[in-house]
Amino acid sequence: MQDPRIIPAELTTGTFFDILADEDHSLSYIQVSEEDVRHQHIDHPMLDHVHFENVRFTASQFERLDLTDAVFINCDFSNCQFEKASWLRAQFKDCKLVGVDLNEAALNNVAFDHCQLDLAMLCDMRFKTVTFDHCRLNGASFMNNRLTTVKFNETNLDQVAFNDTALKNIDLSTCQFERLELDTAAARGMIVNTEQAAYLAAALNGIKVKP
């Protein structure tokens, strides 16, 4: 996992709304805190070398959002639309992304730490070196995705739909769930613990049980 390449001394304090004055809708080398950015609509915004803390983006539409070297702490992205986004070296800590729409996005070296992603739309995506650490994805749609080096650690996955997503060598043994939606072919080679296997084995074949 590559961390965002941010040097705090290089950032200037500013506002997200500076992006509206840029004809390319670009925002760079800036730190923003305690700001209300709800219900905004910007097509293809580009953010690089940015640090946001305690910022509310609720119900904003940022289709094709480009993020490079970005950190978000305690930010609220509930019901935001990020279809076809491209995120490289981004970190989300203690953030709320309930109902977020990331369909058809590409995530590379992205970490979610203690984040809420309940009911998130995460379909037709490419995940490369992505970590979900102590997160909640209850009821999220995680279908038809391509996963490369994706880790789920101590994450609640109850009622997540994994249909048409190959889970070979994906380790869910530390995660919590009562029910998953997934098909037998996609689940082949998935790693679970003994207790999880007791639930899944009746319906699926080819599961590896981690002792």
Side-chain angles (χ1 to χ4, degrees):
M1 174 71 70
Q2 297 180 12
D3 292 335
R5 299 170 182 172
I6 294 178
I7 300 175
E10 295 180 347
L11 305 182
T12 60
T13 301
T15 172
F16 175 83
F17 294 102
D18 288 341
I19 199 171
L20 301 178
D22 187 274
E23 63 180 0
D24 294 323
H25 292 150
S26 178
L27 195 65
S28 303
Y29 291 91
I30 194 171
Q31 55 184 3
V32 179
S33 63
E34 304 292 344
E35 193 162 70
D36 191 337
V37 190
R38 292 179 292 176
H39 303 286
Q40 299 299 308
H41 188 181
I42 303 174
D43 185 35
H44 198 194
M46 295 178 286
L47 282 66
D48 70 275
H49 296 84
V50 295
H51 186 284
F52 288 84
E53 188 165 359
N54 299 321
V55 177
R56 296 175 296 280
F57 296 91
T58 312
S60 290
Q61 299 180 42
F62 299 144
E63 292 87 351
R64 299 186 295 151
L65 169 63
D66 278 356
L67 284 182
T68 305
D69 297 311
V71 174
F72 298 90
I73 300 175
N74 196 34
C75 293
D76 191 346
F77 298 93
S78 296
N79 298 314
C80 283
Q81 297 183 27
F82 298 138
E83 297 97 327
K84 299 182 180 179
S86 179
W87 295 357
L88 173 63
R89 294 187 301 275
Q91 291 184 351
F92 297 80
K93 181 175 177 59
D94 297 317
C95 289
K96 189 174 182 180
L97 300 100
V98 174
V100 71
D101 187 343
L102 270 164
N103 288 342
E104 300 184 67
L107 275 55
N108 187 345
N109 280 276
V110 176
F112 298 94
D113 181 4
H114 288 81
C115 292
Q116 301 176 42
L117 296 102
D118 303 310
L119 304 175
M121 300 296 294
L122 308 169
C123 304
D124 302 300
M125 294 177 60
R126 289 174 292 158
F127 292 82
K128 183 178 181 181
T129 316
V130 176
T131 300
F132 297 91
D133 192 0
H134 291 80
C135 293
R136 266 186 19 206
L137 283 85
N138 295 3
S141 295
F142 204 91
M143 300 183 289
N144 197 33
N145 291 327
R146 292 163 52 190
L147 310 183
T148 305
T149 318
V150 175
K151 297 181 179 180
F152 297 92
N153 180 42
E154 296 286 348
T155 288
N156 195 316
L157 301 173
D158 194 37
Q159 300 186 58
V160 172
F162 282 113
N163 306 82
D164 299 315
T165 295
L167 297 173
K168 184 177 181 180
N169 296 323
I170 299 296
D171 190 342
L172 304 184
S173 63
T174 67
C175 296
Q176 304 84 45
F177 58 84
E178 293 185 7
R179 183 171 66 87
L180 295 179
E181 293 185 25
L182 69 171
D183 51 83
T184 302
R188 191 174 302 276
M190 179 176 67
I191 301 170
V192 298
N193 61 40
T194 303
E195 183 178 353
Q196 294 164 342
Y199 159 71
L200 293 168
L204 301 173
N205 297 315
I207 292 178
K208 299 177 183 179
V209 179
K210 187 175 181 178

